[in-house]
Amino acid sequence: MTAAGLNVRHFTQTDLPEIRQTLIDVHADALADEMDDPFNQRFPWFVDHWGGRPGFSCVIAYDGDKAVGFAYGAPGSPGREWWREHLDPAPEKHRTFSYSELAVIPAWRKQGVSERLTRALMADRDEDLVVLLVDTEHPRVQALYESWGFRKVGKDQPFPDSPVFAVMLTELPLK
């Protein structure tokens, strides 16, 4: 089992009705031990929120016909680069892709799937920067993003019931 053998397919906003349940099912499998958390139970809302944004982009990795992981996001709204409050001075570049979600089912972890999905999602993006949030309770995930060129620029808790997240930023293209 290696990420190289997976079929990674790209999807857009118009594909959301076709892929919505796949995203929800993979997320539930990936976070099976944490699905009693009300924040994680709201994932379908996040799928609809991000999937409804112009420029929504998603990649799903398949082993045969079984989805084993996904990554998605959408361009940030110009002038609403919320992450800038964490930097002084903020970069001059501003066009930002908001990398919203990455999930890989347990059987496929530590096989390079996360990196393959991330690089596939970021390939050919025309934004200058990518921002994402990582639960501060998962330092190995943060270290993984750092190995791809992201750097922690601050912390944020966007919802009262959400974890505290490390705000991470990098320039495109990924290194």
Side-chain angles (χ1 to χ4, degrees), residues 36-47:
D36 60 337
D37 181 333
F39 183 74
N40 290 333
Q41 292 172 5
R42 287 203 333 257
F43 181 70
W45 179 88
F46 287 101
V47 169

Side-chain angles (χ1 to χ4, degrees), residues 1-8 62 108 111-113 116:
M1 287 188 346
T2 68
L6 296 174
N7 178 18
V8 176
Y62 293 90
W108 276 91
Q111 305 299 320
V113 178
R116 180 144 184 237

Side-chain angles (χ1 to χ4, degrees), residues 16-128:
L16 188 60
E18 172 191 341
I19 65 170
R20 183 180 188 274
Q21 192 60 50
T22 299
L23 299 176
I24 292 167
D25 292 346
V26 170
H27 179 264
D29 191 0
L31 295 177
D33 295 341
E34 302 173 41
M35 285 308 293
D36 60 337
D37 181 333
F39 183 74
N40 290 333
Q41 292 172 5
R42 287 203 333 257
F43 181 70
W45 179 88
F46 287 101
V47 169
D48 295 338
H49 170 76
W50 286 99
R53 294 183 61 116
F56 171 77
S57 182
C58 178
V59 291
I60 302 176
Y62 293 90
D63 178 18
D65 62 354
K66 179 176 175 48
V68 300
F70 67 82
Y72 70 71
S77 300
R80 298 189 64 210
E81 296 92 7
W82 57 269
W83 51 265
R84 287 184 175 277
E85 69 189 52
H86 299 285
L87 295 171
D88 186 21
E92 288 184 29
K93 295 179 178 182
H94 61 88
R95 295 178 312 131
T96 307
F97 184 79
S98 297
Y99 187 178
S100 178
E101 196 71 41
L102 169 68
V104 176
I105 66 171
W108 276 91
R109 291 186 183 145
K110 299 183 181 179
Q111 305 299 320
V113 178
S114 293
E115 182 172 10
R116 180 144 184 237
L117 286 167
T118 299
R119 291 190 181 282
L121 183 64
M122 300 306 153
D124 303 322
R125 299 288 332 157
D126 66 354
E127 292 86 6
D128 301 311

